Structures are given as C-alpha cells and as structure tokens.
Amino acid sequence: MIIESKNFNLKQIADSGQCFRMNQISDNTYGLIALDRYIELEQVSEDVINITCNEGDYKQIWKNYFDLDYDYGRIVDKLLEGPDEFLRKAASYGSGIRILRQDPFEMLISFIISQNKNIPSIKACIERICETYGNKMEDDISGKVYYTFPGPDILAEAKKEDLRRLKLGYRDEYIIAASRAVVLGHIDLGALMLASHQESVNTLKSIRGIGDKVANCISLFGLHHIEAFPIDVWMRRVLEEFYENEFDVDQFQGYAGIVQQYMFYYVRHLYGVG
DNA sequence: CGCCAGGATACCC
DNA sequence: GGGTATCATGGC
C-alpha cells in the first residue's frame, strides 16, 4: 500500500524516543510491532511510504496510528518562520516526526520501565516482556515471528520474581500495581484520553512509580494529549544550555508536545546519540 | 572502578 | 518549598 504524505519520515519517528518497537531492517525499511500486528514500512522518497498492508487496514488502522490526518507542516512552518534559532534548526531536522497514536496501556508500562534507563535498554526490557507474556504471532506477508504486548489482565497476574528475571530492576512491582489498577478500573485509560491533560497527568501520578515526566510521556504518546511537555534529562539539558531555564512553553499552547519532540530529537543529534 | 540513562520516592531541612 | 541518597541494570 503506497501512501503519500508530507512530514512522514520513518527514521525520524523510529529514533524519536516515542516508540520502542519500531526498528530498522535495512537502509530505508523499518519493522513495526503495534496493535497486535506487524508491518514493514519503506521510505520510498521524502513524501512516499510503502506499507505492507492492504487498503482496508490502512484506512481503519494505520492512517490513524500515524496520525496522518493532522497537518504537522503547519507546526513546522510556524517554527521555521519564528524568531527562535534552536527551534528553527530542530523543526527543520525533525520535520518528519509525527506523534503516533499508540496503545495507552503499552505506553503506560513502557514509560514506567523507561525511568532511569536509556532507550536501547528500554527496548530490550519491553521485548523480554512481550516474549514472556505476549502472544506469539506470525505475519502472513513477511513470515516474521513476533510477540504482542501483553494486556493488563496478564501483567496484573505476573509474579514479581518472574518480572525481576527480565531485568526490570525495582520497576517490577510498579508494573504489577499499575496493571492491577487498570484491571480493577482504578485507572480508566479510555476516560483519561477524553479528560483534560492536567487531569490525566494528575490521575497517572497517583500510580506508584509514575512522576511528572512519565505521566507526561504517557499522556503525549498513549493518550495523544499533544499539549503534554515531558521534561527528561535531555530536555533539561536543552532548557538549561539553550534557554538558561527560561523557555516559555505557553507560547505553544495546545501542541507543545510536538515542539518537544523536535527539541528532544535534535538535541540528541547534537550530542551524537540516536 | 565510576558515571549515565526519556526518574521516582522517601527523607531531610 | 528545595536538595539528596537510594533504587536495579547495562554500557561505556
């Protein structure tokens, strides 16, 4: 299935730190496990992507997953025309980033794991969880064998010692408690998607192991609250070194999370990571 | 060996 | 409110 879209760059999305199961296969090709499925995507040219799926799945699933109805060019242009040199460079460098509409529970667990870890380590932990607790699948088209991300019911029943063997460290009990909160209905991720960003952050922070940064990541990447603005060590570095801690988030009200992604992706490039 | 990673928490003042 | 030791693990 050939798709034409501006501001859609596979490498930039795969390396933007928002998704942990999208990996490079060859020069312009990426494999993605999401929503219990596996697809391969090829960057044919700047505005052309080829996805291994039929038109029905594209319209029903992947068009929404990659947020293809949203005009990221409008945000990029606004930054390119603005007075802020760092943002001009960041928007230019990451103009193909889109905020994916990922599964909320997968994001909840993934970003609990993410605390005090680097991205390769987060990916490895998530794969071990999927191999242990997910369903084994085989993709018809590519023949790829993969494992789905387990649901809250499965992880709520996981044993702490078993999780600890997956090298999750002290986060094991956070994962079990968060999964139980979802199963018991103490946390309603569907409702949080409709709630205000502030309300969803406050609710998520009531879970042990979720602080301000992780709550903002879950809101941005799992609930699609694009006004969320997660501040991790990289963002702290940007705000300190390029803005002397006087960055005004409010000038991007309603879409600060998109701006944040450009900043995050660009500063890591400046430091030679990702 | 020490330091760092898309941090959070308990405890201190 | 702000500082800090600690948490488990891997990579450098």
Side-chain angles (χ1 to χ4, degrees):
Chain A
M1 179 78 201
I2 299 279
I3 293 128
E4 280 197 58
S5 170
K6 292 185 182 301
N7 307 105
F8 190 1
N9 186 283
L10 299 177
K11 173 182 166 50
Q12 291 175 19
I13 292 170
D15 293 341
S16 66
Q18 62 175 307
C19 55
F20 301 109
R21 306 196 75 194
M22 180 173 179
N23 294 301
Q24 187 167 25
I25 298 172
S26 63
D27 274 359
N28 299 312
T29 313
Y30 291 79
L32 168 68
I33 307 167
L35 311 176
D36 296 342
R37 297 156 191 270
Y38 175 79
I39 55 171
E40 291 179 0
L41 307 99
E42 181 192 359
Q43 189 88 41
V44 179
S45 66
E46 187 178 340
D47 295 338
V48 179
I49 307 277
N50 192 7
I51 307 184
T52 58
C53 72
N54 59 40
E55 190 173 349
D57 278 0
Y58 169 67
K59 286 185 175 171
Q60 288 177 25
I61 299 167
W62 303 113
K63 188 174 187 226
N64 176 65
Y65 183 84
F66 289 103
D67 200 27
L68 289 171
D69 285 327
Y70 189 86
D71 183 10
Y72 286 80
R74 193 172 61 83
I75 312 293
V76 171
D77 288 345
K78 191 189 292 266
L79 297 178
L80 289 180
E81 295 161 5
D84 187 319
E85 186 187 357
F86 184 85
L87 287 182
R88 284 200 300 270
K89 289 180 177 171
S92 173
Y93 185 71
S95 64
I97 296 174
R98 315 183 71 84
I99 310 290
L100 307 183
R101 293 180 184 265
Q102 302 183 75
D103 177 72
F105 179 70
E106 181 172 337
M107 292 300 100
L108 173 71
I109 301 302
S110 295
F111 279 98
I112 286 176
I113 294 170
S114 78
Q115 69 172 255
N116 214 28
K117 274 185 172 300
N118 55 33
I119 292 176
S121 174
I122 299 165
K123 286 186 170 188
C125 285
I126 291 173
E127 285 313 309
R128 284 192 289 269
I129 286 183
C130 293
E131 285 168 15
T132 306
Y133 296 101
N135 294 323
K136 187 175 185 178
M137 312 279 272
E138 185 171 348
D139 177 43
D140 294 337
I141 300 171
S142 63
K144 163 89 172 176
V145 173
Y146 64 99
Y147 296 85
T148 62
F149 195 94
D153 52 333
I154 304 292
L155 290 182
E157 298 297 322
K159 304 294 287 182
K160 188 171 159 182
E161 312 83 67
D162 294 337
L163 283 172
R164 188 58 69 99
R165 277 188 221 107
L166 304 182
K167 309 297 183 183
L168 299 168
Y170 58 86
R171 305 161 189 82
D172 49 8
E173 48 194 28
Y174 298 165
I175 292 169
I176 295 172
S179 301
R180 285 182 180 164
V182 171
V183 170
L184 295 171
H186 298 162
I187 300 291
D188 185 341
L189 293 170
L192 290 186
M193 208 169 314
L194 302 174
S196 72
H197 167 56
Q198 193 54 245
E199 188 182 336
S200 75
V201 164
N202 289 340
T203 304
L204 289 167
K205 283 171 74 173
S206 70
I207 300 177
R208 188 177 161 77
I210 297 184
D212 203 59
K213 187 269 169 184
V214 168
N216 271 277
C217 279
I218 297 166
S219 294
L220 180 56
F221 305 129
L223 306 175
H224 206 75
H225 291 169
I226 58 173
E227 63 268 50
F229 195 81
I231 299 176
D232 70 323
V233 292
W234 292 100
M235 285 302 295
R236 210 169 291 286
R237 204 163 283 163
V238 174
L239 300 182
E240 199 175 315
E241 293 187 13
F242 293 89
Y243 296 94
E244 297 170 339
N245 288 322
E246 289 184 348
F247 183 78
D248 179 22
V249 189
D250 293 337
Q251 59 185 317
F252 308 111
Q253 241 174 32
Y255 59 95
I258 297 174
V259 178
Q260 190 271 5
Q261 279 300 96
Y262 300 142
M263 299 170 84
F264 176 82
Y265 182 66
Y266 182 56
V267 75
R268 280 167 57 86
H269 162 68
L270 291 181
Y271 278 83
V273 190

